[in-house]
Amino acid sequence: MLAELFACRGAPAVMRSDNGGEFVASDVVDWLEETGTGTFHIAPGKPWQNGFGESFNGRLRDECLNEHEFWSLARARVLLDRFGSDHNAEHLHSSLGYLTPKRVRRCAPRRRSLRELRYDAIKRGG
């Protein structure tokens, strides 16, 4: 998935991740280094170093995980997929100029600024 994203958007200079016990993917770090992408590990106990991730985690917890019972893996997949679709296609993100990620992605190949995207969205009524 990362290789596809890098091919489409270009490799970032740095990829940020937490430094928790679940981050044991040394193969990912090796691959990132091969692509020329550096890594930045968030210091333990400093969630403000990854505000976007923490914001998403809070929204996921509040709007999905705390609202539903997951009595099977299949149900969890359906509910999480529904949340992801809503988050990316319906929810307006202030960090994206109050556009949806889907809209930004659709316009991104032209490398337009968020200001231009927002102006076009207002002009078209949405």
Side-chain angles (χ1 to χ4, degrees), residues 14-106:
V14 175
M15 180 166 282
R16 182 184 308 233
S17 68
D18 71 9
N19 210 9
E22 67 277 2
F23 191 81
V24 293
S26 60
D27 289 344
V28 173
V29 172
D30 293 343
W31 180 81
L32 288 170
E33 288 175 0
E34 289 174 15
T35 67
T37 300
T39 57
F40 174 80
H41 294 284
I42 297 163
K46 305 216 188 261
W48 56 86
Q49 291 180 343
N50 187 18
F52 292 112
E54 294 299 321
S55 175
F56 173 78
N57 290 344
R59 182 176 297 280
L60 174 64
R61 188 180 319 102
D62 293 344
E63 297 178 12
C64 185
L65 301 178
N66 291 346
E67 296 294 318
H68 302 285
E69 291 184 21
F70 300 92
W71 58 78
S72 71
L73 183 57
R75 173 140 171 94
R77 285 181 175 146
V78 167
L79 293 172
L80 289 167
D81 185 55
R82 188 179 303 154
F83 172 82
S85 295
D86 179 66
H87 183 77
N88 290 322
E90 304 296 328
H91 175 72
L92 302 176
H93 295 248
S94 61
S95 64
L96 298 176
Y98 294 96
L99 299 172
T100 65
K102 183 178 181 180
R103 172 127 175 113
V104 171
R105 239 186 339 266
R106 201 170 52 226

